[in-house]
Amino acid sequence: MDYKDTLLLPATDFAMRGNLSEQEPKRYAKWSEEKAYEKMKAKRQKAGVSFNIHDGPPYANGHLHIGHALNKILKDIILKTHYFFGDSVRYTPGWDCHGLPIEQQVEVKLGEAKKTMSKSAIRSECRAWATNFVNIQRDEFKTLGILGDWEDPYLTMKFKFEANIYRTLCEVAKKGLLIERSKPVFWSWAARSALAEAEVEYEDKEDYSLYVAFELSKEACEKIGVQNAKAVIWTTTPWTLVANQAISLNPNEKYSVTSEGYIVASALVETLVNQGIISGKIIKEFTSKELENLNAINPLNGRNSVFILGEHVLMDGGTGLVHTAPGHGEDDYFASLRYGIEVIMPVDEAGLYDETLRVKKLLPENLLNEFIGLHIFKANEKIVELLGDSVVKVSKFVHSYPFCWRTHKPVIYRATKQWFIAMDEPKLDGKTLRTTALEALKQVKFYPEVGVKRITSMIENRPDWCISRQRDWGVPIAFFRDRATKEPIFDTEILDNVAKIFDEKGADAWWDLEIADLLPKDSKYDPANLEKVMDILDVWFDSGSTWNAVLNSGDYDAGGYQADMYLEGSDQHRGWFQSSLLLSCAVNQKAPYKSVLTHGFTVDGNGNKMSKSKGNVIAPADVAKKYGTEILRLWVGLSDYSSDLKISDDILKQVGEQYRKIRNTVRFLLANINDLDDISSNFTMLDKWILVRATKTFNEVSICFKNYEFSKGFNILLNFLSGDLSGVYLDICKDRLYCDELESSRRRSAQSAMAIITKSLLALIAPTLTYTVDEALEVAPNIIKKSANDVFELVYKPLEFDYKIEDELLRSSREKFNEIIDTLKKDKIIKSTLEVILETSSNEVLSNDLDEVIDWYMVSFVRGVESDECLAEFDIGNDKFKIVKADRFKCPRCWKYSAKNDGDLCPRCAKVMK
């Protein structure tokens, strides 16, 4: 007789293969139709704990890359972790919509037509461009299974949003932190705009290493007691020498005159000898103070170059005499400021020499036509040539240099009139913005903890924040000036009126409306006496003020201020985390976030940065199509996000294997509890053992997940699933599940334990594998889903089983037993553990329920030591174990060797078959 049909075999509609790439879009569409995010909000409306992530806005320009996917998936996992652990959650996604990259794309599109278009028309084109990519990116994010308020995201170009950005600016101005001054700033000649530090990245660039001798004036030579001497400066930017106004010396150092008549810092003599700059013979030594306010002569134009003192002059390179052009360097600027030295700026917004060369006589008359209109980087060679014999030494070298992160062109320092947020003005209850921000950081929790050191160092050392830009597409610095005095007007009534106009008409109104139309009715100011500031805000100000426009305005259901978490890549310590902190501290004297989580960058499998030229770029859409987004989400969950995250086809295949392990475990559990109606509490020893193991494991995993240590948590979980659960318990239970009678207490006990574990397991993995859990619940038996119609009905509840199970001997003996069995199988002595009996001297083993012990080792029988001959034997401590051939016959139904006669059923199967 074929007994297969008499077995209680597992059955489930939860497929072994997920067919993810085909099935996921259908389920995501269903979530959208059924408003899953709204359901999540409503479900936990009365929860005692609330949690919100304030979204760091991606830029609305281009399709998503793998970094976008990592960031948004990690946010989604964290938000859902809080949700499935019972918290109320809020997440309003957003986009940065202003700024140079969009404007540049529009310029390319418009071509020559842009020159005849109004600002409003150009801005309208930029708005349309951003709108298009917001829609594209929103759809792409939704295909990653990410839930949020996609119906009402925040966009920095919405009219009310622009108004609230402006209101934040006004608050900063009212605090006295907004200043306007002419100062050297990073200038992108390619973008024709000032840049903030966060908009600069460093790349290798080849430059000149140029040593130039400036002859001392007669008075200077007399002062230090020599007839002729030359001050040797070092520079990497020959093009700035035309704007030289001074030579800076260190006030605490001594200086030497060499036999060649060169003046260098005494501390650097040996270094300069080694470089072949000087011979090394010193004929005179003097203090820097002796040359203060005396002059050297600029060899390019014969203009005086005054000696000044400055602490910025270091002894780590150069000559100890620093070429000082106050329009081209921050240190130069501040050092010159103390001496009242004029700031000369002979370079226009495009990086070309302008008429200042002629007006200030910075070059000989016969050279002006050649140089005016010449790009500064093309002038270096000509300048070196003009210097002639004044060049002491010239070479080229490669060094790290600031580049504009959007145009990818090298930037320059250029003094222009800009708006700054002051870091060191004591305007906040007697404290500076720098101090206030540093104190606020102490109240913030950082994941990983090292993040606080990084941003603290940046705040400690950052200069004032240049917030003005000379472009079209952005929020205007919408202030009026007095036409006569040029003083800005921070009248509250005017500022509030402009903000209200922006609420209705958007920031375009600043360009579209006349001054009279922007003033409040019955204003005390005469429009004829006013003029508009035409600069726009740095986009970092836009994103840095989103806490105000999103969390404080009441326009969005995004959770409260302060946000529970800001989460972005580690580069945002110098970007969004910092700009948000500064603006929040300026207005409210506290950080906008309670916690900050940072993740690393995505790199290829070899740890290399991804680039199209290398051909190692992996697009989220390609991963979704080939593997499914669940694999991408699990990759995020399995990765240590605190450092760079590797991704490649091989890595994704490995993640796919881990996913299959999880999926097949869930499938086995569901399939074997398909006929369970009630949970039994009369557990066997084996069931108690797995429930204790599951309790310990799930508690550890839940703690990891709550602490956002997803990689650690998943490793613990996967070890449990493949080890204790699948490798031991489920393997053991197959016999009782398939062969016991339907209502046998052992079978129902095992099913109950499996059902309990399944419920917790599904809720535990739901934040990461939301799709898979939703699919499983759809076909799960009622004992699992009960009233839950979908995954969003789940809430994780910890297991609380604390039975005292002494399993050390059982585990170690089983492990040793299996090692020997593998050898016996390999030697073809046996085919299955059911062919043997295990004999043992251990009272600890034999005192347990004998049926449980038999199943634990998956043998046909366990008894005390009685056989002289055996297949193998081993000791665990003082306990002996023997493996002997079974002395009964194979049951044709369960295959255990426990039948009395050949062909007979064993007692258990015979009872079932009655």
Side-chain angles (χ1 to χ4, degrees):
M1 178 179 176
D2 186 355
Y3 289 101
K4 183 179 179 182
D5 293 338
T6 72
L7 300 177
L8 299 172
L9 295 175
T12 181
D13 289 330
F14 186 58
M16 182 182 293
R17 291 186 170 275
N19 196 13
L20 296 175
S21 59
E22 185 178 327
Q23 297 301 324
E24 283 169 337
K26 300 173 187 176
R27 192 165 297 271
Y28 293 156
K30 179 185 173 187
W31 290 354
S32 184
E33 289 167 12
E34 296 179 353
K35 300 188 182 301
Y37 174 70
E38 294 298 321
K39 182 175 181 178
M40 287 171 66
K41 288 201 299 183
K43 188 73 178 172
R44 304 277 191 267
Q45 197 68 44
K46 297 180 181 178
V49 179
S50 63
F51 178 83
N52 69 323
I53 295 177
H54 179 47
D55 197 29
Y59 201 70
N61 191 28
H63 290 270
L64 300 187
H65 54 65
I66 200 71
H68 287 126
L70 162 64
N71 179 264
K72 278 293 198 287
I73 288 172
L74 189 54
K75 286 174 182 170
D76 190 65
I77 291 173
I78 288 175
L79 196 82
K80 286 176 181 171
T81 296
H82 280 269
Y83 176 77
F84 287 114
F85 277 84
D87 297 346
S88 170
V89 296
R90 293 291 184 276
Y91 175 61
T92 298
W95 276 270
D96 244 339
C97 303
H98 296 124
L100 183 62
I102 290 172
E103 192 173 343
Q104 286 180 321
Q105 293 290 341
V106 168
E107 283 178 349
V108 171
K109 174 188 169 188
L110 295 175
E112 290 296 311
K114 179 180 184 273
K115 295 178 180 179
T116 59
M117 294 172 67
S118 67
K119 275 187 181 286
S120 290
I122 294 168
R123 287 171 61 84
S124 178
E125 290 285 342
C126 291
R127 190 177 296 277
W129 184 278
T131 299
N132 179 50
F133 277 103
V134 165
N135 292 331
I136 288 171
Q137 290 185 3
R138 172 167 40 195
D139 289 343
E140 290 175 340
F141 279 132
K142 288 165 79 172
T143 65
L144 299 176
I146 294 157
L147 297 181
D149 197 354
W150 296 115
E151 301 307 310
D152 188 24
Y154 76 80
L155 309 178
T156 58
M157 66 181 179
K158 285 182 179 178
F159 289 175
K160 289 190 74 174
F161 209 104
E162 290 180 328
N164 284 324
I165 293 170
Y166 175 65
R167 287 187 175 99
T168 307
L169 175 67
C170 294
E171 288 299 313
V172 174
K174 290 174 188 177
K175 297 282 187 180
L177 293 172
L178 195 61
I179 54 177
E180 187 183 23
R181 65 167 180 254
S182 182
K183 175 180 175 288
V185 294
F186 283 124
W187 184 271
S188 173
W189 50 266
R192 302 192 179 197
S193 180
L195 301 177
E197 269 202 293
E199 296 173 301
V200 171
E201 56 190 20
Y202 287 81
E203 299 178 21
D204 286 344
K205 179 177 182 289
E206 185 181 63
D207 271 321
Y208 279 90
S209 172
L210 179 66
Y211 293 84
V212 182
F214 282 50
E215 285 194 16
L216 265 62
S217 67
K218 182 180 178 183
E219 294 79 9
C221 287
E222 288 175 354
K223 183 64 185 259
I224 61 173
V226 295
Q227 282 194 324
N228 293 297
K230 296 178 181 181
V232 180
I233 63 93
W234 176 73
T235 184
T236 61
T237 54
W239 61 269
T240 63
L241 287 171
V242 296
N244 172 274
Q245 289 282 75
I247 295 174
S248 297
L249 310 176
N250 187 297
N252 307 309
E253 295 288 337
K254 289 188 175 182
Y255 286 79
S256 296
V257 182
T258 70
S259 56
E260 301 96 332
Y262 291 152
I263 296 174
V264 298
S266 298
L268 291 169
V269 166
E270 185 177 347
T271 301
L272 293 169
V273 169
N274 292 337
Q275 293 178 4
I277 308 296
I278 58 175
S279 64
K281 187 176 180 182
I282 307 302
I283 62 171
K284 179 85 176 179
E285 192 174 59
F286 61 93
T287 64
S288 57
K289 184 74 177 172
E290 293 181 59
L291 279 181
E292 186 178 17
N293 292 317
L294 297 174
N295 296 310
I297 310 301
N298 187 333
L300 278 176
N301 50 33
R303 289 169 55 92
N304 281 342
S305 182
V306 62
F307 286 106
I308 63 176
L309 306 182
E311 297 284 351
H312 68 287
V313 180
L314 304 177
M315 297 297 120
D316 58 355
T319 63
L321 294 88
V322 174
H323 150 56
T324 302
H328 290 303
E330 192 166 30
D331 288 335
D332 295 20
Y333 171 79
F334 285 115
S336 299
L337 198 62
R338 291 194 295 273
Y339 288 86
I341 295 171
E342 179 187 9
V343 176
I344 293 177
M345 177 43 57
V347 180
D348 69 12
E349 62 181 14
L352 311 177
Y353 284 126
D354 62 17
E355 286 291 331
T356 307
L357 292 181
R358 190 187 310 278
V359 174
K360 295 292 182 180
K361 298 181 179 179
L362 303 183
L363 283 173
E365 183 75 29
N366 64 311
L367 296 175
L368 292 175
N369 290 339
E370 180 183 354
F371 276 84
I372 293 173
L374 180 68
H375 195 283
I376 52 171
F377 289 154
K378 294 180 179 177
N380 280 327
E381 199 167 308
K382 294 177 183 289
I383 295 290
V384 173
E385 188 178 336
L386 284 174
L387 287 167
D389 293 341
S390 297
V391 174
V392 178
K393 185 178 179 181
V394 61
S395 60
K396 287 188 176 182
F397 75 118
V398 174
H399 65 145
S400 182
Y401 189 88
F403 278 66
C404 172
W405 76 330
R406 292 195 173 98
T407 64
H408 303 292
K409 300 292 185 183
V411 302
I412 60 174
Y413 262 109
R414 180 171 179 264
T416 57
K417 204 162 191 179
Q418 302 290 341
W419 292 90
F420 297 86
I421 294 177
M423 293 297 297
D424 298 307
E425 293 289 331
K427 300 290 187 180
L428 303 173
D429 297 328
K431 295 180 180 179
T432 66
L433 178 55
R434 191 186 309 278
T435 299
T436 304
L438 291 171
E439 289 178 355
L441 285 175
K442 295 175 183 177
Q443 309 303 316
V444 179
K445 183 164 181 60
F446 281 81
Y447 303 93
E449 291 181 2
V450 70
V452 69
K453 294 181 180 177
R454 189 171 183 204
I455 192 170
T456 294
S457 173
M458 290 175 174
I459 294 292
E460 285 174 342
N461 297 297
R462 69 157 296 137
D464 292 342
W465 179 6
C466 178
I467 62 167
S468 48
R469 299 292 180 271
Q470 293 67 48
R471 302 294 303 185
D472 295 332
W473 181 227
V475 175
I477 299 177
F479 300 134
F480 295 113
R481 300 182 196 278
D482 182 289
R483 195 179 287 275
T485 66
K486 303 301 181 183
E487 286 297 311
I489 295 166
F490 298 139
D491 181 280
T492 298
E493 191 179 15
I494 292 177
L495 301 181
D496 289 347
N497 192 66
V498 171
K500 287 176 183 175
I501 292 171
F502 285 3
D503 276 331
E504 297 176 13
K505 301 178 183 294
D508 290 356
W510 186 247
W511 291 278
D512 293 346
L513 300 182
E514 298 297 328
I515 291 176
D517 299 323
L518 291 163
L519 292 173
K521 289 181 179 179
D522 305 319
S523 173
K524 62 184 178 183
Y525 292 93
D526 182 352
N529 294 332
L530 302 178
E531 62 185 20
K532 296 177 183 177
V533 172
M534 300 305 285
D535 292 340
I536 64 168
L537 282 168
D538 171 12
V539 288
W540 288 110
F541 192 102
D542 285 22
S543 58
S545 62
T546 53
W547 56 265
N548 199 15
V550 178
L551 304 179
N552 261 350
S553 67
D555 295 335
Y556 300 90
D557 185 11
Y561 169 86
Q562 303 158 298
D564 290 293
M565 178 175 283
Y566 275 36
L567 188 168
E568 299 300 326
S570 55
D571 58 330
Q572 295 308 317
H573 287 117
R574 66 192 288 265
W576 188 57
F577 297 150
Q578 195 174 145
S579 63
S580 300
L581 174 71
L582 294 178
L583 291 179
S584 182
C585 286
V587 176
N588 296 321
Q589 287 82 66
K590 61 182 179 180
Y593 35 69
K594 297 175 186 175
S595 68
V596 168
L597 187 148
T598 52
H599 58 76
F601 298 105
T602 51
V603 293
D604 69 14
N606 296 316
N608 297 317
K609 184 179 178 180
M610 292 187 183
S611 69
K612 290 180 180 178
S613 61
K614 290 180 182 177
N616 62 349
V617 173
I618 294 180
D622 294 339
V623 177
K625 187 175 180 181
K626 186 173 182 179
Y627 298 101
T629 57
E630 287 289 82
I631 305 304
L632 193 59
R633 292 176 66 87
L634 186 57
W635 166 73
V636 174
L638 288 169
S639 300
D640 177 6
Y641 58 76
S642 64
S643 57
D644 288 347
L645 291 81
K646 292 182 179 181
I647 187 168
S648 65
D649 270 340
D650 286 343
I651 290 170
L652 289 168
K653 286 174 185 175
Q654 292 169 18
V655 174
E657 289 301 315
Q658 303 287 52
Y659 173 77
R660 277 185 283 279
K661 185 182 297 181
I662 295 170
R663 184 180 182 92
N664 288 337
T665 301
V666 171
R667 182 173 184 271
F668 186 91
L669 290 167
L670 293 177
N672 282 285
I673 55 177
N674 64 323
D675 56 31
L676 182 67
D677 296 324
D678 296 302
I679 300 290
S680 167
S681 58
N682 185 26
F683 297 115
T684 69
M685 180 273 287
L686 185 60
D687 303 321
K688 289 177 180 178
W689 175 79
I690 195 61
L691 288 171
V692 168
R693 301 297 296 175
T695 297
K696 180 179 182 293
T697 300
F698 289 3
N699 284 345
E700 289 178 1
V701 173
S702 64
I703 289 169
C704 289
F705 286 179
K706 286 178 182 178
N707 290 327
Y708 315 127
E709 296 175 326
F710 299 107
S711 174
K712 181 179 176 182
F714 266 112
N715 280 322
I716 294 170
L717 183 62
L718 283 162
N719 285 336
F720 169 75
L721 295 183
S722 61
D724 288 344
L725 187 62
S726 297
V728 180
Y729 179 73
L730 297 181
D731 202 26
I732 290 171
C733 284
K734 288 175 184 175
D735 177 74
R736 65 187 66 181
L737 290 169
Y738 303 167
C739 300
D740 276 13
E741 61 183 345
L742 181 67
E743 297 294 338
S744 105
S745 60
R746 287 199 329 157
R747 185 171 185 274
R748 289 308 189 198
S749 172
Q751 286 182 304
S752 297
M754 290 164 67
I756 290 167
I757 290 170
T758 303
K759 284 182 182 179
S760 282
L761 175 62
L762 290 176
L764 198 56
I765 63 174
T768 305
L769 301 176
T770 319
Y771 164 89
T772 301
V773 175
D774 197 36
E775 182 193 352
L777 275 180
E778 196 168 70
V779 297
N782 288 332
I783 196 70
I784 296 297
K785 62 182 177 184
K786 293 191 174 178
S787 60
N789 295 315
D790 56 40
V791 64
F792 305 108
E793 302 282 346
L794 293 183
V795 61
Y796 176 75
K797 294 179 181 177
L799 300 180
E800 296 178 343
F801 295 95
D802 59 354
Y803 303 112
K804 300 301 181 218
I805 306 291
E806 296 295 337
D807 66 345
E808 186 174 345
L809 178 59
L810 287 168
R811 289 171 68 89
S812 56
S813 60
R814 188 178 192 274
E815 185 177 336
K816 186 64 177 176
F817 170 78
N818 285 333
E819 283 180 19
I820 295 171
I821 288 294
D822 286 342
T823 302
L824 293 174
K825 286 180 179 178
K826 188 176 179 181
D827 294 341
K828 298 184 179 179
I829 295 170
I830 61 170
K831 293 180 180 178
S832 164
T833 56
L834 295 176
E835 296 177 36
V836 304
I837 293 171
L838 182 65
E839 296 182 349
T840 179
S841 64
S842 171
N843 288 327
E844 183 181 331
V845 173
L846 294 172
S847 63
N848 288 294
D849 181 308
L850 199 57
D851 286 337
E852 292 290 285
V853 176
I854 290 169
D855 282 353
W856 177 257
Y857 297 102
M858 298 176 69
V859 295
S860 287
F861 199 68
V862 174
R863 64 193 181 202
V865 176
E866 61 181 56
S867 302
D868 294 328
E869 293 185 4
C870 62
L871 299 176
E873 59 185 317
F874 61 93
D875 295 338
I876 302 292
N878 294 324
D879 297 311
K880 293 189 176 299
F881 293 83
K882 283 189 173 185
I883 302 171
V884 301
K885 268 283 192 178
D887 51 12
R888 291 199 171 192
F889 296 94
K890 182 177 181 180
C891 172
R893 183 171 181 271
C894 70
W895 297 0
K896 281 187 176 179
Y897 283 73
S898 50
K900 287 184 178 180
N901 300 300
D902 191 14
D904 287 355
L905 294 174
C906 68
R908 186 263 309 262
C909 290
K911 182 181 176 184
V912 172
M913 292 300 295
K914 279 184 180 177

